Every structure is written in C-alpha cells, then in structure tokens.
Amino acid sequence: MNQLLKKISWMTLLIPVISVILGLLCGAIIMWATGYDPLLAYSSIVQSIFLQPYYAGETIRAMIPLVLSGLAVAFAFRTGLFNIGVEGQLMAGWFASVACAIGFDSLPKFILLPLSILAGAVAGGLWGLIPGFLKARFKVHEVISTIMMNYISLYTTSYLIKTFLFTQGERTPTIPPAASLASNFLANLTQGSRLHWGFIVAILAVIAMWFILWRTTMGFELRSVGFSQDASQYAGMNVSRNIILSMTISGIFAGLAGAMEGLGTYQYMMINATFTGIGFNGIAVALLGLNTPIGVVLSGALFAGLQTGGLTMQSVAGVPIELIQIIIALIIFFVGSGYVVQWAWGRFMGRRHKA
Amino acid sequence: MSFFEVLCIIVPSTLLTAAPLIFTSLGGVFTERSGVVNIGLEGLMSVGAFTAAVATLALEHSGFGAFSPWLAILIAGVAGGIFSLIHAVVSISFRADQTVSGVALNFLAAGLTIFLVKLIYNGGGQTPYIENNIDKINIPLLSKIPIIGPIFFQQVTYTSYLAILAAFVCWYVIFKTPFGLRLRSVGEHPAAADTLGINVIRMRYIGVVLSGIFGGIGGAVYLVTITSNYNVSTIAGQGFLALAALVFGKWHPFGALGASLFFGFAQSLSITSQQIPYLDQLPSVYLLIAPYVLTLIVLTGFVGRAVAPKADGLPYIKGQR
C-alpha cells in the first residue's frame, strides 16, 4: 500500500514535467515545419530571461499576477469548483483598486496603499461570491456563471472608466504616488523593468493559501467538500457555506492580481476591449502546478518566462509570439490528458497499467 | 421617427448579428446533448473566421468572384470540424476534464490563427480585407410585400435565413430521427445507451465534430457578413455569447435560436441605439451586459428551470458505475 502511494505521487509529479517537455517539443516541431529555427528561438528565450536583468525583472513582474490568478483557480479547484471567472474578478479588482487610489488621493501612503489593495481584494471577492452563492443556493454551474460574470465585469468596468474616470488615451488617470507599488530601486536593479513591490503580496498570498487550506479547520472543510460533498454533508459540514467561502477567497486572490496590475505594473487601468488573458493563463498555471501553492509558483515562473522571453524570441528568431500561446495550450492539453500520458508511460516502461 | 421605421432598422440588424450566434449555438446543442461540454466554441469560431478569410482571399484570387465567400463558409465548416477533433480526442478518448480541454482549445485557436496569419501575410497581425463579402440585399419579390417586406426582407443577408432554417433542421434531426434519439440518450444516460448497443464514444465524437462544423460556419458567417478581415479581436466573445445562448435556450434548438435572436437584438441595439429615440439616452452598457445577466437569472430558475443533459460534462468509462 505504501509503495503504491509512493508510485502514484511520483507519477503525478512526472505528468507536468512530461507535459512541459512534450509542449516545448511540439512547439519546436511547429517552428521547424514553418521554417523557423527552434534552437535559436529557445536559446534566445533562455538567454534573455537568465542573462539580461531587464527581462529577468519583467519575468518576475509578469509572475506576480500569474501566480495570484493561478492561486485563485487552484484554491477553487481544491473545493471542487472550476473558477473560469478569474478574468472578470481580476478586472473588478483592478478597477476597484485604481478607483480607490484616485478617489482618496489625499491619504498618506501607509493608509492609501493597503486600502487600495484591500479594495481590489474586496471587489474580486464580491465578484467571486456571486457565482458561489448562485451555485450554493440555486445549483447554477459555476463554469457557466463565471463566464457570464466575466463579460459583465468587462463591460461594466469599461463603462465605469468611460463615465467616471476617463482621461486621454482611453484610460483612467495615473494613480497618486501614495498608492503606487512601483519602486525606483527595483527598476534600477533590473535596468528599467516594471518590477514592483507586488511580489511581496504574491509571496504572502502563496503562504496564505497553504496556511488556510492545510493548517486551519476552515481549510480542512474546504478540501473535504472538494473530495466529496455528500460525505462532508454527512459529517455535519455546511457544504453551501463552504462553496460560497471558496469562491469568495478565490475571487480575493484574483482581485489581488488585478490590484497588482493597477497599482504596480500600469499605475492606471485602460479600457479593455477584450480580456487581459491573465485569468485564463491562471487556469493553465494552476493545472500545471497540480493546484498546490509551490506548484503554482513554479508553473507561474515557467509561463511568465515563456511570455517575456517570447518577446526576445520574436525579435531574435523572428518567430511570432503567438507560438508561446500555442505551447501553453498544448501543455494544458497534455496535463489534462494525464490519464493517457500515464498509460503511455506505463506501456513505454513495459509495466502493466493500473488506472 | 415612427415605430415602423425603428423596426426597419432593428430587425435587419438583429438578423445580421444573430446569424453567427445561431449557427454556433446550434453546434453547442449537438455537443452538449451528446454529453460533452464545449467551452471551446469561441475557439472554433476563431478557426472558422480565420479559415473563411484565408479561403475567400484565395478563391477571389483564383477567380471565383461572388461565390468565394459561400465556398469559404463550407471550407470553414470543414476546418472547424477537423479542429474540434482535438477536443473530441482529448476529452472523450483521453478522458480529460472537458472544461480544461475547452479552455485549451480556445487558447490554441487564438494562438494558432494569428500565428498562421503572420506566417501567411508576412508578419502582419491581420489578413487583408476580402473583396467579395456577403452583402446586405433586398430579397427579390419578398421585399416588395407591404409592411413585412421592409422589416424582414430589406437590407438582410441570406445567411440569416439559412441560420433560421438550420435551427429547424437541427430540431428535426435531434427530436425526430433515430440518430437524434441516440445522441440524446448518450448525453442523458450513457451506460443505458451502451447496454442497448449504441456506440457511446462514436456518438459523442459525432456530437463534438458537429459543434465544430457549426462553430466554424458561425465564425465564417461572422467574417463574411460583418468584419471582412481576420485579426486578434475579430472573434472577441462571440463564442461565449453563443454558449450563453445555448444555456439560455435550455439546450434546445429552438431555444438556442430564440436566445441567439434575442442576444443579437441586444447587441445590435447597443450599436444602433444612437439612432433610436429614447434608447439613445440609455447607456449601451446595459444592452451589452443584458444577455449575460439574463442568462444568470434563467439559470437561477426564476424563469423556468434550465436543466443540462444529465451526463453533460462526464467522461464515459465503460463498466464504471
């Protein structure tokens, strides 16, 4: 029994690794087939993010919202919920944090900055609470309701910006320095990248997810509901409450991701015609990270690296940056098909397959 | 402006914006009735729109003229069908989570189409504009009918009527043929269907591929009637709107048709409301979010319960209880 458990956990760790390798391999084949140089492309990515401080800084910068939205998806997954609504929660959080920063611009930094971050978290949490409530009370499937909430958020935030906070360049005014996470120190350190203090928030969030889920009674209940709603109900847990709670906390993580973009990376919010893509990438990050805090950090680093390195790849090897999106999509397919990867691996190693 | 004149603006533009939604949501009916959730409708529309743009440009070039967009729609249907096979293989045979696979499908479609656009058109982020799009026309004879003619048959495209016709065909296929009965049984209770000798896996493959074909056609119709070129933002939410229409229409072809028309109506109002008295006072955001809010309300059961096929979203594993 013990040995079997070991084998399974070893296998589950192997699937993401195999998936990434397969994804990169397919990417290489696509490049080769379309007349690009895969070696040059990949080496340019590696070189830029490991050897050039600017790209290293941008990678960590891109990691901040990716990790947070990955945590959001992973947290809901642990309760058996699929939060596709990170994108909408992120936008709600982004808008709320920027609006709060501009609205209370006379406050000192030590109040305004935490307040703005909190505003983002609350807005994201509310945006997650609604689908959670609909699921708990009316059994509305969260996949459908969060997709609907995404679009409501997209159109509502752009309407609110147009009506109340509009300035030149189809965006809100820049937030006051007192609410900014940007830092000259970090920028200088990385030769002018947009790296900001938000990475501390991301680290705290990673710890928070681990602590809540594995070190509190609340987390035990949340995970228990994820394993079996019926058993949890029978054990006297309030399933509905846990569903709402899980979606709300998930939304808070997503709202924080938005706040990081608003207070850190951009210092404003633009009118978005389409989604930012960060929330959808968060699904990939969570899946690849096996819905664990550490896994989310690792896969967040991988995707952030691919995306910032992709810019260098485009200029050095001439490969359109969309290739990165293709690779990410393929990685999700492979991770999702874990069952077959496992089966094929079993065949490959000449062992008998056990489901 | 009289009410009649308002109708003459709104109805044709509703028909125009609804057509792609109708096709795509009908595709959604097939796949979800067979028990496979398809979040990837958006991606399938992207593939359809991309293929339609490339095919129309190529056909124009080789002298097909006004036939090019029509042929392109068919080619796009095939392309959508082939592309949806990825979702079918991953979610049916490999038993991956259907939502995960659908999300990945959207990713792949968005990345792949723009990648190919850049490859084919030398690095540009968009295709050239097609010359032969399917234009709004006055339908001969029918448009001469008093009152009805100007509302329903002037400044419309044939694709809108084909879409409505397709809804009736789908209804017949799903509810009046043995094939439709098998498709629905596989989505409701695959194990029972299997014991009766229905090939569950095959039926689900057919369901998904049909959604690909319809989604591809939907995207193509959107391209040849509305946008005329393909770029990153061509298909921005149309597929998810079609998904909403499918749910709002309670997984029924006529429901999907009605919901698509209604969503098309809301969308076209958000564009044309500036010309219409009273409505120009209303911020367009209300019209933009109306479809999504209404879908949420329908799902809560206040307006008649919307129930998905019972086995929707569950992979079928032989022998598993």
Side-chain angles (χ1 to χ4, degrees):
Chain A
M1 185 64 199
N2 224 348
Q3 219 165 10
L4 190 76
L5 272 177
K6 250 185 205 160
K7 211 163 145 189
I8 288 170
S9 70
W10 178 75
M11 201 64 229
T12 46
L13 277 181
L14 203 66
I15 286 171
V17 177
I18 293 178
S19 303
V20 170
I21 294 171
L22 283 177
L24 291 173
L25 207 64
C26 290
I29 292 170
I30 293 171
M31 281 191 266
W32 176 74
T34 47
Y36 297 109
D37 183 353
L39 274 180
L40 180 68
Y42 284 145
S43 64
S44 70
I45 293 180
V46 173
Q47 265 176 3
S48 72
I49 57 176
F50 285 109
L51 299 178
Q52 295 178 23
Y54 173 81
Y55 286 104
E58 278 292 300
T59 302
I60 301 173
R61 200 271 312 154
M63 254 180 88
I64 299 166
L66 265 184
V67 166
L68 283 167
S69 57
L71 290 178
V73 178
F75 197 95
F77 256 132
R78 285 284 168 183
T79 316
L81 299 166
F82 201 145
N83 183 5
I84 304 201
V86 174
E87 198 68 58
Q89 292 145 12
L90 183 148
M91 282 188 163
W94 188 340
F95 177 80
S97 66
V98 169
C100 172
I102 295 170
F104 299 101
D105 59 353
S106 54
L107 291 172
K109 183 151 195 165
F110 75 97
I111 299 176
L112 185 58
L113 181 57
L115 188 70
S116 304
I117 295 176
L118 192 69
V122 168
L126 277 176
W127 221 256
L129 184 140
I130 297 170
F133 172 74
L134 292 176
K135 167 102 180 178
R137 176 73 180 75
F138 300 107
K139 303 247 180 295
V140 176
H141 201 290
E142 76 279 5
V143 167
I144 301 289
S145 62
T146 50
I147 289 174
M148 302 300 124
M149 292 298 289
N150 278 346
Y151 282 94
I152 296 171
S153 173
L154 175 69
Y155 293 124
T156 311
T157 53
S158 58
Y159 167 74
L160 289 173
I161 295 172
K162 254 182 238 165
T163 326
F164 299 110
L165 291 167
F166 193 68
T167 193
Q168 212 171 9
E170 298 279 290
R171 65 183 184 88
T172 68
T174 304
I175 57 167
S180 172
L181 282 165
S183 111
N184 285 328
F185 167 69
L186 290 175
N188 289 334
L189 196 70
T190 53
Q191 296 181 356
S193 81
R194 291 174 292 174
L195 183 58
H196 55 82
W197 291 116
F199 73 88
I200 297 174
V201 177
I203 293 171
L204 290 177
V206 171
I207 298 169
M209 170 173 171
W210 168 79
F211 188 81
I212 294 172
L213 281 179
W214 281 278
R215 285 292 175 274
T216 63
T217 322
M218 180 173 87
F220 177 79
E221 284 200 14
L222 288 171
R223 283 184 296 129
S224 161
V225 168
F227 281 121
S228 169
Q229 291 197 0
D230 294 336
S232 309
Q233 179 95 47
Y234 189 68
M237 296 174 196
N238 186 337
V239 173
S240 300
R241 201 184 63 103
N242 276 300
I243 288 174
I244 297 174
L245 191 64
S246 173
M247 283 303 286
T248 308
I249 296 176
S250 171
I252 288 173
F253 283 126
L256 282 174
M260 294 305 107
E261 292 296 84
L263 306 173
T265 309
Y266 293 99
Q267 318 269 327
Y268 59 82
M269 182 169 182
M270 55 288 213
I271 293 178
N272 288 295
T274 50
F275 292 120
T276 60
I278 300 168
F280 291 122
N281 278 322
I283 299 172
V285 170
L287 284 173
L288 189 64
L290 301 172
N291 303 316
T292 58
I294 298 300
V296 165
V297 174
L298 292 176
S299 60
L302 176 77
F303 288 153
L306 280 175
Q307 279 175 341
T308 35
L311 293 169
T312 329
M313 177 189 79
Q314 185 162 274
S315 55
V316 174
V319 186
I321 193 164
E322 281 73 24
L323 183 82
I324 300 298
Q325 204 177 356
I326 297 175
I327 293 175
I328 293 180
L330 291 171
I331 292 176
I332 311 178
F333 275 125
F334 289 124
V335 177
S337 315
Y339 153 77
V340 169
V341 175
Q342 214 167 330
W343 175 83
W345 181 262
R347 275 294 171 87
F348 181 69
M349 301 303 277
R351 294 200 200 105
R352 251 189 57 204
H353 160 69
K354 275 183 189 161
Chain B
M1 192 186 270
S2 72
F3 183 64
F4 177 69
E5 283 169 317
V6 170
L7 279 183
C8 291
I9 297 174
I10 293 179
V11 174
S13 85
T14 296
L15 287 173
L16 183 72
T17 39
L21 295 178
I22 298 174
F23 279 118
T24 310
S25 56
L26 286 174
V29 172
F30 279 110
T31 170
E32 304 237 346
R33 281 282 176 177
S34 78
V36 183
V37 169
N38 197 346
I39 304 285
L41 290 175
E42 174 94 356
L44 293 167
M45 280 187 88
S46 301
V47 168
F50 161 78
T51 313
V54 175
T56 310
L57 288 165
L59 289 165
E60 278 173 353
H61 196 68
S62 37
F64 280 88
F67 284 114
S68 330
W70 293 101
L71 284 172
I73 291 177
L74 292 180
I75 297 170
V78 174
I82 293 170
F83 194 72
S84 69
L85 273 174
I86 301 175
H87 182 54
V89 170
V90 172
S91 65
I92 302 170
S93 300
F94 293 177
R95 299 175 201 170
D97 187 292
Q98 296 170 0
T99 308
V100 169
S101 170
V103 168
L105 201 72
N106 288 333
F107 258 68
L108 187 62
L112 194 64
T113 52
I114 297 298
F115 182 82
L116 290 174
V117 165
K118 285 185 175 172
L119 198 70
I120 299 171
Y121 300 102
N122 303 322
Q126 57 177 340
T127 67
Y129 281 84
I130 59 170
E131 280 167 23
N132 295 285
N133 42 14
I134 296 179
D135 268 332
K136 285 176 264 187
I137 48 148
N138 297 337
I139 292 175
L141 291 178
L142 289 174
S143 63
K144 298 280 188 285
I145 305 172
I147 303 176
I148 295 176
I151 297 177
F152 291 103
F153 299 109
Q154 286 183 10
Q155 291 299 303
V156 290
T157 58
Y158 281 115
T159 46
S160 304
Y161 294 102
L162 285 174
I164 294 168
L165 183 71
F168 282 87
V169 173
C170 287
W171 168 78
Y172 184 83
V173 169
I174 293 176
F175 290 99
K176 298 289 166 199
T177 64
F179 166 79
L181 182 64
R182 288 182 191 132
L183 189 83
R184 283 182 292 135
S185 71
V186 160
E188 292 291 338
H189 200 317
D194 197 10
T195 31
L196 293 173
I198 297 170
N199 189 335
V200 176
I201 303 295
R202 201 183 68 183
M203 289 311 291
R204 289 192 164 182
Y205 263 84
I206 294 172
V208 172
V209 170
L210 279 173
S211 81
I213 293 172
F214 276 93
I217 291 174
V221 167
Y222 191 71
L223 187 114
V224 296
T225 58
I226 298 174
T227 63
S228 299
N229 93 325
Y230 184 79
N231 60 48
V232 177
S233 59
T234 299
I235 302 295
Q238 301 299 319
F240 285 115
L241 198 59
L243 186 74
L246 158 74
V247 176
F248 191 71
K250 300 175 183 178
W251 290 270
H252 192 286
F254 291 151
L257 171 68
S260 298
L261 283 169
F262 181 65
F263 290 177
F265 170 71
Q267 274 216 320
S268 66
L269 264 191
S270 70
I271 301 161
T272 56
S273 66
Q274 304 308 321
Q275 311 169 30
I276 297 164
Y278 302 115
L279 275 178
D280 55 355
Q281 314 278 327
L282 186 75
S284 63
V285 65
Y286 293 115
L287 295 163
L288 284 171
I289 65 172
Y292 308 105
V293 175
L294 287 169
T295 304
L296 281 181
I297 293 172
V298 165
L299 283 167
T300 57
F302 290 132
V303 199
R305 190 104 185 92
V307 185
K310 196 153 179 256
D312 206 9
L314 305 171
Y316 177 61
I317 302 165
K318 243 186 209 295
Q320 195 190 53
R321 281 193 290 175

